[in-house]
Amino acid sequence: MSSFSGVGVSSGRASGPVARVAEALPEPAAAPAPTDPAAEARRIRPAAEAVADRLSERAGAVGGEAKALLETTAAMALDPALLSQAEQLVTGNSLPAARAVHEAANGFAEALRSAGGYLAERVRDIHDVRDRIIAELLGATPPGVPDLERPSVLLARDLAPADTADLDPRLVLALVTEEGGPTSHTAILARSLGIPAVVAARGVLAAAPVVGATVDGDTGAVDTSSEAVRTQAAQRPTEVNWTGTGGTSDGHSVSILANVGSVADAHLAVEAGAQGVGLFRTEFCYLATDDEPDVPTQRAAYAGVLTPFAERPVVVRTLDAGADKPLSFLDMGVEPNPALGVRGLRICFERPGVLDRQLEAIVAAAEESGAQVAVMAPMVATADEASWFAERVRAAGLGRAGVMIEVPAAALAAHEILDAVDFVSIGTNDLAQYVFAADRMSGALASLNDPWQPALLRLIAQVGQAGQKLGKPVGVCGEAAADPLLAGVLTGLGVTSLSMTAAAVPAVGSALAAHPLAAYQVAADAAQNAPSAARAREAAVTSLQA
Ligand code: PEP
Ligand code: MG
């Protein structure tokens, strides 16, 4: 079999040789015991040194954050405590070297995890070092992206952020993953690099040996027949230089905003030319701690992100914990079905103090930064919940309150909800998962989470119509907004602002300016009446070419 069908998540077509991203090896066995434990223990240091040398070499070839990340990982590989503990496990407990490294590293990782805060974030790095030393000891391929010597299509089960720290965009023609969905790290990374990508291409990893591939990031098709080996890079939208004000070619205004979750994101968003922030995810402030951060700590963290946007609009989303983002201080216990459990605003009904303290910090950070701050709540299901939130926001002294539309019930009740608040923003990542009853992280269900699904577009249309009737803004801040073609369709459905990863801002801003509003309305009509996601995209393309 040489044709695979996945979900296209980043537009364009490219062909070239395939480079496989190696997966971590299975857990090494604790037996057999080495016949000469002292000699076995002496194998550990050279293996760690070889790993550190390779990481340092990679660090020497790049700059910025990637360099720092690789240098830190190299230093971890040579950590004297880690190495001597592993050696002792060989000599004292008669473990094979690979197993000893596994156990020593896991002990370190556990200690870091329980230290919490910044240290807990290093657990993933320890695991990375562990897997690299083990691969070295076993003479196996180290996990992660191989050194690319020529432009290649990367083929992976899924990509983690650490896998891609030093990816050279000139050497990556396209990304293809067996798993992952439209909101996965792979999808976000591909859009930010401006290269074609297909996720959830089921079966592609088993199709050995794959030498070359042609990847179509629009249709989701991956062809691994040998004719595909000829290297052909997709045209990258590098020449796009977005500095403008968002809108259609006939001047209908659509704000082009950025999604941010850290100070670094905020600076990237300003550089990309975003007109403001449509989604500031505040979770980062809570994730690094075991306890609820106090108001001054929150205030300082938020002010850091808001300051680059002085005088400009920023929508701050209140804490979206629960489900995939559990927080230890909330002590929520085990829920049988966390995605349908107490998450987002639902947490605050039982603990309004968490919300009130966050609002107090947001008010102070807004004053300090000079940004035009509005606040919105995640996971709102009813108009009563929206009113409850808006009252608390206004009582805290903030002028503008909104809610996210992520639950199908909220989309169906958009009119009543918009009556209670100043604006809404559609979270298409969650709205798709709840409309289709399909986990947004599941590779197997990725095609259901495709934001081109006509059923999703019809719900968005209902929200757009409610906004138009009441004269209130309707934004989209899910990954759907980062697709330049879909951005026009969303505008045609009545959406008035689009918020996305900073890297997508120039491409979306300039694509939107290519057609008048009426053309997008016709394209939107065609897309939402199509029988499938693929046909919806085709219908939009055909309609805009007419
Ligand atoms: C969404 O659900 O679309 C969204 C933007 O929120 P998050 O991805 O943070 O859940
Ligand atoms: Mg969401």
Side-chain angles (χ1 to χ4, degrees):
M1 182 162 142
S2 62
S3 292
F4 301 89
S5 170
V7 179
V9 290
S10 182
S11 191
R13 216 176 130 85
S15 320
V18 160
R20 281 275 290 256
V21 176
E23 292 173 47
L25 298 166
E27 193 175 309
T35 43
D36 181 350
E40 179 75 352
R42 280 198 297 277
R43 294 178 55 226
I44 292 175
R45 245 159 243 267
E49 278 160 10
V51 167
D53 286 350
R54 269 201 297 276
L55 289 166
S56 304
E57 206 177 301
R58 278 170 61 192
V62 292
E65 242 179 86
K67 185 184 184 70
L69 195 136
L70 292 164
E71 278 172 350
T72 312
T73 319
M76 272 184 188
L78 295 177
D79 187 296
L82 172 69
L83 298 184
S84 64
Q85 210 171 92
E87 284 163 349
Q88 275 164 26
L89 284 167
V90 177
T91 48
N93 296 14
S94 289
L95 290 179
R99 179 70 193 188
V101 169
H102 176 84
E103 289 191 7
N106 285 3
F108 268 66
E110 221 20 76
L112 286 174
R113 202 193 310 278
S114 45
Y118 168 77
L119 291 174
E121 291 170 18
R122 304 264 66 86
V123 169
R124 195 176 53 208
D125 302 340
I126 290 272
H127 286 161
D128 188 34
V129 159
R130 174 196 68 189
D131 295 339
R132 286 173 192 282
I133 302 177
I134 291 172
E136 183 70 26
L137 284 165
L138 299 177
T141 314
V145 177
D147 289 335
L148 299 177
E149 277 149 20
R150 54 187 174 159
S152 309
V153 173
L154 274 190
L155 180 59
R157 184 162 299 282
D158 204 357
L159 287 170
D163 288 334
T164 54
D166 61 341
L167 262 194
D168 182 346
R170 290 165 305 181
L171 291 177
V172 185
L173 296 165
L175 300 177
V176 177
T177 62
E178 168 102 16
E179 289 172 8
T183 60
S184 63
H185 176 69
T186 305
I188 293 166
L189 176 82
R191 281 196 286 266
S192 74
L193 294 178
I195 57 174
V198 172
V199 298
R202 312 295 282 177
V204 71
L205 285 181
V210 176
V211 237
T214 297
V215 182
D216 189 327
D218 294 304
T219 61
V222 178
D223 179 359
T224 58
S225 60
S226 51
E227 303 91 75
V229 183
R230 206 164 66 85
T231 297
Q232 196 167 17
Q235 243 190 331
R236 294 175 200 218
T238 41
E239 65 284 0
V240 171
N241 192 8
W242 168 250
T243 51
T245 307
T248 59
S249 63
D250 56 337
H252 170 73
S253 163
V254 179
S255 302
I256 304 295
L257 310 168
N259 292 352
V260 302
S262 66
V263 177
D265 285 354
H267 288 292
L268 285 175
V270 170
E271 277 164 34
Q275 295 173 273
V277 170
L279 168 63
F280 170 14
R281 293 181 167 105
T282 55
E283 290 79 63
F284 82 107
C285 186
Y286 294 82
L287 291 177
T289 166
D290 278 345
D291 305 311
E292 182 187 347
D294 61 17
V295 172
T297 305
Q298 290 191 48
R299 171 201 167 133
Y302 303 152
V305 177
L306 294 177
T307 302
F309 284 93
E311 313 290 324
R312 281 191 264 176
V314 178
V315 179
V316 182
R317 179 177 74 184
T318 54
L319 179 61
D320 188 14
D324 54 330
K325 308 164 196 160
L327 291 179
S328 53
F329 81 88
L330 292 171
D331 192 21
M332 289 159 53
V334 179
E335 290 186 300
N337 203 343
L340 302 181
V342 182
R343 59 165 292 201
L345 184 66
R346 296 170 181 184
I347 291 172
C348 303
F349 299 139
E350 282 166 36
R351 287 164 244 238
V354 172
L355 175 61
D356 292 343
R357 286 185 288 278
Q358 186 172 28
L359 292 174
E360 190 186 333
I362 293 170
V363 171
E367 276 166 16
E368 187 180 325
S369 65
Q372 297 162 7
V373 170
V375 183
M376 71 178 175
M379 277 299 282
V380 170
T382 67
D384 280 349
E385 291 178 3
S387 303
W388 181 88
F389 177 73
E391 269 167 35
R392 289 195 109 82
V393 170
R394 290 180 189 131
L398 281 155
R400 281 173 63 72
V403 298
M404 291 190 73
I405 303 285
E406 304 184 283
V407 179
L412 295 167
H415 194 284
E416 292 76 5
I417 285 184
L418 266 165
D419 240 349
V421 293
D422 301 304
F423 67 95
V424 294
S425 184
I426 306 173
T428 47
N429 309 339
D430 274 316
L431 187 58
Q433 101 161 330
Y434 292 126
V435 168
F436 286 94
D439 186 338
R440 63 193 254 189
M441 304 307 284
S442 162
L445 303 176
S447 60
L448 293 175
N449 280 301
D450 186 334
W452 282 93
Q453 283 286 359
L456 180 69
L457 298 179
R458 286 176 214 170
L459 269 184
I460 294 172
Q462 284 201 27
V463 184
Q465 280 157 17
Q468 278 165 351
K469 264 199 200 123
L470 292 171
K472 292 189 179 179
V474 172
V476 167
C477 63
E479 284 304 311
D483 175 334
L485 180 61
L486 189 49
V489 166
L490 296 171
T491 301
L493 294 174
V495 166
T496 57
S497 70
L498 297 161
S499 192
M500 64 211 74
T501 170
V505 162
V508 170
S510 64
L512 193 65
H515 299 279
L517 175 62
Y520 287 131
Q521 286 167 334
V522 174
D525 216 40
Q528 66 166 319
N529 288 310
S532 69
R535 297 275 290 277
R537 179 183 259 278
E538 274 168 32
V541 170
T542 311
S543 168
L544 289 170
Q545 276 167 351

